[in-house]
Amino acid sequence: MDDPICYELRQDNARPHVANSIRDFCSAQHMQLLYWPAFSPDMSPIEHVWDLVTRRFARDSRPAAAKDELLLHIQAIWNSLLQTDIQNLFDSLCLFA
């Protein structure tokens, strides 16, 4: 019989993530749980991506005239992010090697 494939699931210690039903399900699916410290934005790649967006937004001193304009400006910054910059952020965390 073949060995089951083992998956690693990285998650923080948020209450919904550590419920017995979640742990039982992950165990049944042969998922190894790797717990991250709670409230660790430095370990979350998306937090670093949002930091890039925030820094680029801060360089533009134009105030938005309306909420829609603000959202469009943020979306334009998000869309202008280079994939290589995002990949470099992931690589720098050494979590996905």
Side-chain angles (χ1 to χ4, degrees):
M1 182 171 172
D2 293 333
D3 289 333
I5 297 173
C6 183
Y7 297 96
E8 292 181 352
L9 176 63
R10 293 180 175 104
Q11 63 182 6
D12 60 18
N13 285 318
R15 186 169 288 159
H17 298 164
V18 295
N20 287 333
S21 58
I22 299 297
R23 286 186 283 174
D24 292 346
F25 173 81
C26 291
S27 178
Q29 299 302 314
H30 307 286
M31 299 170 99
Q32 178 182 358
L33 298 177
L34 304 173
Y35 292 103
W36 289 359
F39 307 108
S40 296
D42 57 317
M43 297 177 72
S44 176
I46 192 64
E47 297 300 330
H48 293 278
V49 175
W50 278 115
D51 182 58
L52 281 176
V53 172
T54 301
R55 284 187 278 135
R56 291 182 188 181
F57 184 81
R59 283 189 232 150
D60 187 357
S61 59
R62 287 180 301 138
K67 179 181 172 183
D68 289 341
E69 184 181 338
L70 176 64
L71 294 175
L72 287 172
H73 185 60
I74 293 170
Q75 186 176 25
I77 294 170
W78 181 275
N79 291 339
S80 73
L81 295 175
L82 299 176
Q83 187 62 42
T84 53
D85 291 339
I86 295 170
Q87 187 62 50
N88 288 339
L89 290 173
F90 276 81
D91 294 343
S92 71
L93 294 175
C94 299
L95 297 172
F96 304 98

